[in-house]
Amino acid sequence: MAGVSNMSVSLAFKGSPKISEPTRKRILEIAGKLNYVPNQAARQLRSGRTDIIGFLVTDLANPFHSLMIKHAESAFSEMGLTLFTAGSNWQEERERASVERLIRMRARGVLLCSCEKSRESFELLESAGIPYVALDSVPDSYQGPCVVNDLAQCGALMAEHFRAIGVRKPAYVDAAKEMLYFSAFRKTREAFCKTLRQSGIKLGKKNCIPAGMTLEAGAEAFRRLSADGFKADGVFCVNDLCALGFRNEAEKHGLLAGRDFALGGIDDMEISALSALSLTSIRQPYREIARKALEMLLLLMEKKALPSRRIVLPQELCARASTLEMRRRAQT
């Protein structure tokens, strides 16, 4: 109908400068009338490459991971690439299965938040020749390309803040018991405890509770900490969801965060800044993590040298009413 060759149609859809703009416009108008779209599978068979980028995370329900995926999907979409996402739910077998699927799909690259139970996923990608970047957190032994949070700074910031507002009987609500091995949780916990000790503040074993990263986990942590009477004057939770669950359960027992105890979390979710919640939190730069990981992956896909194979991003304390009200009262 357009009176052109198959190659011209292909060039029109690719946006190639090898055909004139009027010809391109005519081809696309006719394609629209015919409801025609290019056969992507045929393109991939001919070129031997796909437009698929994998993004594998430990927990798709985690707001932090969801925000990173959203940012990456938008950026890759603008490049004409398709994002394939999957969650391992902290299971080594599910992570490996997703990596194997991406290899079968001939993915061009992979962003991976590993559950850190083995190196098998990285080894599979290396054997298949698929470039990858690890992000958010990696074990100490990992030497590959990565963009990660400064987790020692994360724990230290909240400990310093607690000291400054007068907390002397702190408590720490950690991840679930079976997840305590994970480097992100370990590094944050160790830095929090170490910084407290340097200020002469001790975190007792009974006040360090493995719980989880959900609202219900936070509620259960409060019930356990208050079994013999609630004595903590400052509580640091493994993430904001856990902190909000802890707060809600405490309010059922007449205790208010900011008035009766300080409360902090990690992630700085959007709702944490609402005046009704005003939760102090450690902001982890998910947009920056996704952006830098994307840039690093594109360089690897183009077989270009990386300026650095390891990027560590700083954390930021966002102090709000759930801790600052205690300091204001102390000052008055």
Side-chain angles (χ1 to χ4, degrees):
M1 289 183 68
V4 297
S5 66
N6 291 347
M7 179 59 70
S8 294
V9 173
S10 178
L11 292 173
F13 276 94
K14 289 179 180 177
S16 171
K18 293 182 180 179
I19 61 172
S20 68
E21 191 57 36
T23 300
R24 184 198 326 279
K25 185 177 180 181
R26 186 172 76 256
I27 291 171
L28 295 180
E29 285 178 351
I30 292 171
K33 291 176 182 177
L34 297 174
N35 294 320
Y36 170 83
V37 293
N39 187 323
Q40 192 65 21
R43 275 186 174 182
Q44 292 170 1
L45 284 172
R46 177 174 291 184
S47 66
R49 59 190 296 183
T50 71
D51 64 353
I52 296 170
I53 302 294
F55 199 153
L56 308 183
V57 298
T58 52
D59 185 0
L60 285 169
N62 186 325
F64 180 74
H65 287 159
S66 299
L67 290 168
M68 283 200 299
I69 289 172
K70 180 180 178 181
H71 183 74
E73 185 172 35
S74 176
F76 281 123
S77 179
E78 290 178 5
M79 300 175 195
L81 299 172
T82 301
L83 197 65
F84 171 92
T85 61
S88 69
N89 198 27
W90 302 93
Q91 297 175 23
E92 180 183 358
E93 296 79 11
R94 288 184 62 172
E95 180 178 294
R96 182 179 62 249
S98 294
V99 168
E100 290 174 344
R101 183 182 303 173
L102 285 167
I103 292 172
R104 291 195 299 271
M105 294 166 67
R106 298 183 180 181
R108 292 176 63 181
V110 175
L111 299 175
L112 177 58
C113 298
S114 171
C115 65
E116 299 185 9
K117 291 184 176 177
S118 79
R119 271 195 49 82
E120 188 173 7
S121 292
F122 300 116
E123 291 169 354
L124 285 169
L125 291 169
E126 289 165 6
S127 298
I130 297 176
Y132 64 86
V133 175
L135 62 164
D136 185 21
S137 173
V138 294
D140 295 335
S141 60
Y142 179 82
Q143 299 297 318
C146 60
V147 182
V148 295
N149 285 301
D150 188 337
L151 296 160
Q153 184 187 33
C154 176
L157 281 173
M158 192 62 75
E160 290 166 357
H161 182 59
F162 275 13
R163 178 197 58 76
I165 62 174
V167 170
R168 293 299 177 266
K169 293 178 288 184
Y172 186 70
V173 180
D174 213 329
K177 194 172 183 178
E178 65 273 15
M179 294 161 60
L180 296 181
Y181 75 92
F182 192 65
S183 63
F185 306 136
R186 175 178 55 80
K187 291 175 182 178
T188 301
R189 177 176 62 251
E190 289 177 351
F192 181 66
C193 294
K194 179 181 177 181
T195 307
L196 287 175
R197 285 197 304 270
Q198 290 171 345
S199 300
I201 304 170
K202 184 178 180 181
L203 177 64
K205 288 185 178 180
K206 290 184 178 180
N207 275 11
C208 193
I209 305 291
M213 305 174 71
T214 64
L215 293 168
E216 178 51 36
E220 176 60 24
F222 174 82
R223 291 191 287 267
R224 290 170 61 188
L225 275 174
S226 59
D228 299 321
F230 187 74
K231 302 179 179 66
D233 59 358
V235 182
F236 184 25
C237 294
V238 67
N239 70 349
D240 283 8
L241 278 179
C242 178
L244 293 175
F246 190 99
R247 177 181 189 153
N248 187 63
E249 190 67 17
E251 289 179 359
K252 294 178 182 178
H253 293 77
L255 298 173
L256 297 179
R259 185 192 71 184
D260 301 303
F261 65 98
L263 179 65
I266 302 174
D267 284 348
D268 191 36
M269 299 188 308
E270 286 186 9
I271 61 171
S272 298
L274 295 175
S275 57
L277 299 177
S278 195
L279 175 69
T280 292
S281 185
I282 301 294
R283 177 177 296 160
Q284 296 188 321
Y286 66 87
R287 286 190 181 88
E288 191 70 0
I289 290 176
R291 184 180 69 82
K292 288 189 175 296
L294 184 153
E295 291 172 354
M296 188 179 284
L297 184 61
L298 290 175
L299 287 174
L300 291 171
M301 287 162 53
E302 295 169 2
K303 302 186 184 306
K304 295 181 179 178
L306 297 177
S308 173
R309 288 177 64 82
R310 186 183 186 90
I311 299 174
V312 182
L313 297 179
Q315 314 289 277
E316 179 185 355
L317 175 75
C318 301
R320 301 190 179 99
S322 69
T323 58
L324 292 180
E325 286 300 323
M326 290 188 67
R327 182 163 64 181
R328 294 192 188 103
R329 288 203 319 277
Q331 291 172 342
T332 57

